[in-house]
Amino acid sequence: MAQYLKDAVQEGIASAALKVFALKGYTSATMAEIAKAARISTGNIYRYYENKSVLFDEVVSDDFVRTFTALLRQRVKSLDGVSDVRTLGPTAAFHLASEELLRFCIDHRLRVIVLLGRAQGSRHEEFSERLVQELIQLAVAHFRSLHPGTRVTETTRFNLERIYRNLVGALVDILTRFEEEPLIREAVEGYSRYHLAGLASLLG
């Protein structure tokens, strides 16, 4: 029974921390605020977590980050050889990969918000920018495989950086603004169509 209660308290702290990190960001969040959200004393929280960094690593784990990254790469990879997603059937690899990624984002909504938009000051603070740069490289490689003559000028790269930073920011905004799955899906699918059309116009 004692272990069950201990586990329940620890889960309550982690859940509260995730909400506070998503609302205020890692830097601004305090252990006192997290303790209050978890309905325990500030002193008691340190019985379970040595400091804020350890608590952050608990709620935004390395396994979560690896899985999220792998799903993103899988979605991009599924576009190999595809010049127009509108020609794809509902069971095409791209749609299946997109659904798997979206399902993951919905199931881990607050964690995605924190990782992509609220991690400043944590050890994952550069994750979002590294992701942008990787997505740019993958997009350029994709279009070059379809159109070997594709050139990436200084201005093209500038625009690509804006496009992908906007994509990451839009996902954070959507997951922050909407909690209901149908609304998240509608917003993500609408923005995805806009994003893919913009890339095709820029690099196609």
Side-chain angles (χ1 to χ4, degrees):
M1 182 60 124
Q3 183 60 44
Y4 173 80
L5 292 175
K6 181 179 179 181
D7 291 345
V9 172
Q10 193 162 354
E11 289 174 9
I13 294 170
S15 178
L18 190 53
K19 292 175 183 176
V20 175
F21 288 143
L23 179 65
K24 303 196 67 173
Y26 174 79
T27 299
S28 297
T30 67
M31 292 292 268
E33 289 172 318
I34 294 169
K36 182 179 180 180
R39 298 184 178 181
I40 64 172
S41 69
T42 302
N44 197 27
I45 200 173
Y46 287 101
R47 296 177 57 193
Y48 296 88
Y49 296 98
E50 179 182 353
N51 53 46
K52 186 170 69 169
S53 177
V54 172
L55 179 50
F56 183 86
D57 290 344
E58 171 76 14
V59 299
V60 185
S61 68
D62 288 341
D63 283 345
F64 165 78
V65 175
R66 281 193 292 268
T67 301
F68 180 64
T69 303
L71 290 173
L72 281 167
R73 290 171 177 165
Q74 176 180 283
R75 182 178 186 270
V76 175
K77 184 68 177 174
S78 68
L79 280 172
D80 284 356
V82 177
S83 58
D84 188 347
V85 297
R86 293 172 298 181
T87 65
L88 298 175
T91 60
F94 172 74
H95 293 312
L96 297 179
S98 296
E99 171 58 28
E100 190 173 2
L101 175 60
L102 180 55
R103 179 76 264 160
F104 184 84
C105 289
I106 292 170
D107 290 344
H108 301 277
R109 185 177 68 87
L110 294 181
R111 284 184 174 84
V112 175
I113 291 171
V114 173
L115 179 63
L116 295 184
R118 309 283 192 271
Q120 293 79 7
S122 78
R123 68 190 182 93
H124 289 306
E125 66 179 348
E126 296 181 1
F127 178 87
S128 182
E129 183 58 27
R130 288 198 305 269
L131 178 63
V132 166
Q133 297 305 320
E134 179 175 354
L135 289 173
I136 290 171
Q137 293 176 2
L138 291 171
V140 170
H142 170 70
F143 279 97
R144 280 178 172 162
S145 71
L146 296 174
H147 311 287
T150 299
R151 293 178 61 249
V152 179
T153 64
E154 183 178 354
T155 56
T156 300
R157 183 165 189 86
F158 173 87
N159 287 326
L160 283 171
E161 288 179 348
R162 297 308 176 276
I163 286 172
Y164 276 104
R165 286 187 187 125
N166 286 341
L167 174 66
V168 171
L171 180 57
V172 172
D173 289 346
I174 288 169
L175 294 174
T176 301
R177 173 65 177 81
F178 303 110
E179 296 183 22
E180 299 84 359
E181 180 173 334
L183 295 177
I184 293 174
R185 286 183 174 278
E186 183 179 350
V188 168
E189 289 166 7
Y191 196 90
S192 181
R193 288 193 298 271
Y194 161 79
H195 168 73
L196 291 172
L199 280 180
S201 176
L202 183 65
L203 293 174

